[in-house]
Amino acid sequence: MRRVIVTMVFLLATIGIVLAGGRQEGNAASVGGEGSPFTIRVATWAVQESGTVPYFEALKNDFETDNPGIEIEWVGFPYGQLREQVLIQAAAGNPPDVVQTARPWLPDFANSGFFQPVTGLLSEAYIADIYPEIRSDLLYNDELYAAPWFYGPFVVYYNADLFEQAGLDPDAPPTTYEEALEAARAISALSDSEENRIYGLGMTTGSVPVSGGAVLTMLMSFGGGVWDEQGNLIIDGAGNREALAFLKTLHAERLNPEGALLKDLRNLFAIGRLGIYIDQTWGMNGVMAINPDAADYARIALPFGTENSPPRSTLEGHLLTIPADAEHPEAAATFIEYVTSREQLAAYMESLPFLLARSSLGDMPELQESIVAPIAAGAPGVITAVPKHPKMTDLFLELTKIAQMVTIGGSDPAEATAAARAWADREL
Amino acid sequence: MVTRLRVRDEFFGLALILPASLIVGALIFLPVAQSVAMGFVDYTLRRNQDGVSWNNFANFVYLIETGELWNSWRITLLFVIGVVTALIVAAVAMAIALNQRIPGQRLLRSVVLLPWVTPTMIAALLWMWILQPQYGVANFLLRRVGMIEQPISWLASIQWALPSVMVASFWRQFPFVFIVVLAGLQSIPVELYESAMIDGAGFSRRVFSITIPLLRNVIRVVILMSVIQSFRQFPLVWTMTGGGPIDATETLAVLSYKQSFVNLNFGRGSAVATVWLVTVLVFSVLFTRLVRTREY
């Protein structure tokens, strides 16, 4: 009898396990009928960053006060994991309602089909207010797939004190790569008080996608890139070879810290051992976190062009997207318009330097007082739309690889571009 | 009557193990089987994906033709062999040293365990700081003692990136291997050493004729566990180098992750994982057959 009871208990446990394997149907906490309170889930990496935590706490309070019945649940992931985690949640049929999205992820999201256009969800006036250069970069199949939270091109940050020590004019920074090379040589002749080397020009080439964006920005500014305007591959073109030859020179003369990630460049800039470097506008936050006094010597400029080509940059931005299976898409759109309102952006700008993606916000006093003010007017003009190829992240990693080939690998630029072409013919 | 009882016993036994078997099957074997199956189809992460079909080994052919699979397999083997060899030699040496009566023995044993309690991600970030070329402590110390003149870009150098990650992996795994070997060492009867000393055996003779043979079974288990641990070492490598520079640290784990979660091509990612799985299985079977447990 005892055995029978034990056997029955184990069989019941087995049945329980089998039945428990069902799919989750909806978010119990957020299900409600019309007019019932509900919760929108916002996936973000920024909510985990210590510098912006107070802003996000205030944002949640403000939004819930101004929108009774809608609560916010932050779904925090580290930056490096958010893209994968959101796609997995979407594939499992349980995506968040709003996703903070780095610009390089947009092609993956749009191509995956797990995200929906925001065109019909955001107001027409709101969409029309976005700078055309930025709006065109966020289109996929002629539909707008993301709202820009804020943006920036890749910019040049330089150390005004080192400029003066090197006999350069800090009020007339280089505007071309040729001028930047001369400035870098002058700065690299300096050393700090402990006789440590000072690097002239920092270009990130580390094995991460964001470095690929920086490399692409450089390639485009030399007249190169991946595709021409007709969509033909130009990855092995003259512009790219010229850009890689420039990078090779930087490396050969030890003007650039080799294989650096952006955070390495920010750290070196913060401790006064880097004269000029290319970064996203909000990268200055990383510098200030290490050395708040960097505000005294840090200056900003638009990205370099060359003597034959104007400055160009990929769009670097924090975007907001809405998954196709979002439970509350309208509320998600309400959140997006709220978080990108003048008041909220002004509050966020206190903890992060960025540019505003809508023309009606250009007169904000907070923008005029920010470190990015000198480039605000010219920035939209350097943004260059890049096709939304589904292998964009892989492409960015491939671009870091060709940059590494000509620097630490010692390859010839033509050899590197030929390897890139072979890869592109196979993959793109 | 006896047969009926035996059948009831067997039924009772099966009922007892059924829930656990279902859990293990659902959580381990099913995903592994699904992953292997995905290696033979075109499968990218897309909504409303059309049905998947057999692709005639296209994922494997791609990985072989591009050379990615061979490169990653070679790097993984180098990584595993290097780390495990260093681990076993160092752990046995350290365990023998810390098994003696020396001052600070307990403190040293505790300190050795510190890397074990450090999360892998933190360990990766820590080693990135140590190995940072411009302001990292490794270059600072090496320059101070005159071993190098120019800073070495440990993680950005084709020559040094893999050894650097191996050092970090060694540091992370060492405490576990050490503690298991030390436990094995302490189970060896002291009388054996005493009688060997009476017979005039020196230190090295005692180590090679008593310690190592009697640690054989422990070392066997530790090698197997370290090999498996090193084969699946992903977060350390991915965080420290991302598989670079120029694929110099792209292990099978990194390649599988890149194909699956960077390219969102789960078919190719699963193909890599299948090769990875087969490699570990073949090693485990060969190793357990060739290096058999001995009774003493």
Side-chain angles (χ1 to χ4, degrees):
Chain A
M1 187 61 196
R2 205 165 147 193
R3 280 190 166 196
V4 172
I5 292 170
V6 172
T7 307
M8 290 304 291
V9 167
F10 274 84
L11 284 176
L12 281 173
T14 308
I15 293 164
I17 288 164
V18 172
L19 293 180
R23 183 180 149 179
Q24 182 186 347
E25 293 293 343
N27 179 353
S30 63
V31 172
E34 281 295 321
S36 305
F38 61 87
T39 301
I40 57 168
R41 299 166 66 228
V42 181
T44 165
W45 69 84
V47 75
Q48 293 194 326
E49 294 175 357
S50 56
T52 51
V53 165
Y55 166 72
F56 279 92
E57 286 173 353
L59 167 63
K60 179 175 161 61
N61 284 335
D62 293 349
F63 180 82
E64 289 173 355
T65 306
D66 293 345
N67 296 274
I70 309 179
E71 287 187 6
I72 295 174
E73 179 191 338
W74 302 121
V75 184
F77 293 110
Y79 174 83
Q81 293 175 17
L82 191 136
R83 171 179 165 274
E84 290 90 284
Q85 293 295 334
V86 162
L87 282 169
I88 290 166
Q89 287 187 350
N94 187 29
D97 294 285
V98 182
V99 180
Q100 182 181 13
T101 303
R103 166 60 185 82
W105 306 343
L106 189 62
D108 297 333
F109 284 3
N111 277 289
S112 73
F114 289 122
F115 285 74
Q116 60 181 304
V118 295
T119 319
L121 295 166
L122 298 172
S123 69
E124 283 183 19
Y126 181 95
I127 292 172
D129 195 23
I130 300 169
Y131 287 119
E133 297 88 344
I134 297 169
R135 195 170 56 230
S136 69
D137 195 56
L138 304 180
L139 295 177
Y140 175 74
N141 289 344
D142 295 328
E143 295 270 21
L144 189 70
Y145 264 78
W149 193 343
F150 51 82
Y151 90 105
F154 272 104
V155 295
V156 172
Y157 277 115
Y158 63 99
N159 183 322
D161 290 349
L162 290 179
F163 263 55
E164 282 180 0
Q165 288 172 38
L168 303 167
D169 181 0
D171 295 323
T175 57
T176 65
Y177 278 98
E178 292 86 350
E179 291 172 10
L181 182 61
E182 292 307 316
R185 284 174 175 146
I187 293 166
S188 287
L190 304 170
S191 55
D192 70 5
S193 56
E194 294 173 9
E195 295 302 311
N196 288 311
R197 181 175 188 79
I198 290 178
Y199 293 89
L201 178 54
M203 304 279 300
T204 177
T205 57
S207 304
V208 289
V210 69
S211 296
V215 173
L216 180 56
T217 286
M218 189 182 72
L219 300 179
M220 292 193 305
S221 295
F222 273 86
V226 180
W227 296 276
D228 64 13
E229 286 174 4
Q230 287 73 44
N232 303 310
L233 276 174
I234 54 165
I235 201 164
D236 55 345
N240 287 1
R241 289 197 299 275
E242 204 182 322
L244 293 175
F246 176 86
L247 209 50
K248 195 173 176 69
T249 303
L250 279 186
H251 179 77
E253 297 186 24
R254 298 182 59 227
L255 305 175
N256 181 26
E258 61 185 6
L261 300 169
L262 275 177
K263 74 175 178 57
D264 297 322
L265 300 180
R266 291 166 189 163
N267 293 346
L268 285 170
F269 192 78
I271 59 176
R273 289 187 55 197
L274 182 58
I276 309 167
Y277 85 108
I278 314 292
D279 196 355
Q280 297 157 317
T281 58
W282 45 91
M284 188 46 56
N285 242 33
V287 173
M288 303 284 199
I290 297 167
N291 179 14
D293 294 339
D296 297 337
Y297 60 72
R299 302 279 188 280
I300 194 169
L302 285 172
F304 303 128
T306 65
E307 285 171 0
N308 305 314
S309 181
R312 301 171 85 184
S313 172
T314 55
L315 173 69
E316 294 302 304
H318 290 195
L319 315 174
L320 294 162
T321 50
I322 302 177
D325 294 327
E327 205 165 349
H328 305 289
E330 288 79 15
T334 303
F335 173 80
I336 289 175
E337 293 204 14
Y338 188 87
V339 81
T340 54
S341 66
R342 179 177 283 258
E343 295 71 24
Q344 287 299 327
L345 287 170
Y348 201 10
M349 206 174 263
E350 286 174 16
S351 50
L352 206 66
F354 53 75
L355 291 166
L356 302 165
R358 286 183 291 134
S359 52
S360 66
L361 303 172
D363 61 346
M364 272 175 55
E366 292 81 2
L367 178 64
Q368 307 308 324
E369 292 160 12
S370 162
I371 188 172
V372 297
I375 62 155
V382 304
I383 299 293
T384 305
V386 177
K388 313 295 168 302
H389 197 280
K391 295 207 168 168
M392 209 58 180
T393 309
D394 204 18
L395 169 63
F396 279 176
L397 288 176
E398 195 61 26
L399 294 179
T400 65
K401 203 185 288 181
I402 62 171
Q404 291 166 0
M405 281 176 74
V406 297
T407 52
I408 54 182
S411 297
D412 185 73
E415 199 181 331
T417 53
R421 176 68 195 220
W423 177 88
D425 283 339
R426 203 171 58 234
E427 297 288 338
L428 299 181
Chain B
M1 186 64 187
V2 174
T3 309
R4 201 175 153 197
L5 272 174
R6 186 173 294 163
V7 169
R8 279 179 60 186
D9 279 351
E10 283 175 1
F11 182 72
F12 181 63
L14 281 175
L16 288 179
I17 63 169
L18 196 57
S21 304
L22 272 180
I23 291 172
V24 172
L27 297 181
I28 297 177
F29 296 116
L30 210 61
V32 169
Q34 191 188 13
S35 169
V36 171
M38 274 165 59
F40 297 92
V41 298
D42 291 321
Y43 189 96
T44 50
L45 194 61
R46 291 183 66 84
R47 191 168 187 248
N48 302 328
Q49 178 159 239
D50 298 334
V52 291
S53 57
W54 170 263
N55 69 2
N56 217 13
F57 301 103
N59 296 326
F60 294 92
V61 170
Y62 169 90
L63 291 164
I64 291 167
E65 281 183 353
T66 57
E68 289 180 30
L69 190 61
W70 164 243
N71 180 57
S72 295
W73 197 74
R74 182 183 62 83
I75 288 168
T76 306
L77 283 192
L78 278 175
F79 180 85
V80 172
I81 292 168
V83 171
V84 175
T85 307
L87 274 172
I88 300 301
V89 172
V92 171
M94 181 79 104
I96 290 171
L98 290 187
N99 201 33
Q100 316 293 319
R101 291 190 183 281
I102 54 169
Q105 182 199 44
R106 281 170 187 273
L107 178 70
L108 278 171
R109 282 184 189 176
S110 306
V111 169
V112 168
L113 294 179
L114 274 179
W116 203 19
V117 297
T118 309
T120 309
M121 289 295 285
I122 304 295
L125 295 173
L126 184 72
W127 276 96
M128 285 174 77
W129 275 99
I130 291 171
L131 299 173
Q132 212 287 336
Q134 286 82 31
Y135 46 82
V137 73
N139 277 339
F140 174 78
L141 291 176
L142 290 173
R143 288 175 80 175
R144 272 291 162 95
V145 299
M147 287 181 72
I148 56 170
E149 284 183 13
Q150 296 297 334
I152 295 173
S153 296
W154 300 101
L155 298 175
S157 141
I158 299 168
Q159 182 189 359
W160 288 108
L162 186 62
S164 301
V165 179
M166 285 163 71
V167 167
S169 183
F170 168 88
W171 181 85
R172 181 73 180 75
Q173 291 185 66
F174 179 75
F176 174 76
V177 178
F178 164 75
I179 206 157
V180 174
V181 173
L182 183 65
L185 202 58
Q186 289 177 338
S187 69
I188 299 174
V190 182
E191 293 78 11
L192 286 176
Y193 291 105
E194 288 172 350
S195 52
M197 286 169 78
I198 291 166
D199 290 343
F203 177 76
S204 57
R205 183 59 189 259
R206 293 199 300 276
V207 168
F208 288 104
S209 297
I210 299 175
T211 308
I212 303 291
L214 291 181
L215 277 179
R216 179 191 161 97
N217 293 342
V218 171
I219 291 173
R220 178 179 169 275
V221 172
V222 160
I223 287 177
L224 194 57
M225 291 178 79
S226 303
V227 165
I228 292 169
Q229 175 70 18
S230 298
F231 257 106
R232 63 190 190 92
Q233 183 57 272
F234 167 73
L236 205 63
V237 186
W238 182 248
T239 307
M240 289 178 73
T241 64
I246 321 178
D247 301 338
T249 58
E250 195 170 82
T251 58
L252 286 170
V254 170
L255 180 62
S256 177
Y257 180 84
K258 276 172 80 170
Q259 290 293 349
S260 298
F261 292 101
V262 174
N263 295 342
L264 305 179
N265 190 329
F266 282 74
R268 282 186 198 160
S270 298
V272 178
T274 303
V275 172
W276 181 17
L277 179 73
V278 169
T279 307
V280 177
L281 277 177
V282 167
F283 170 81
S284 303
V285 170
L286 284 179
F287 184 78
T288 46
R289 279 179 175 271
L290 292 174
V291 188
R292 291 185 180 279
T293 308
R294 275 195 193 157
E295 296 292 336
Y296 291 97

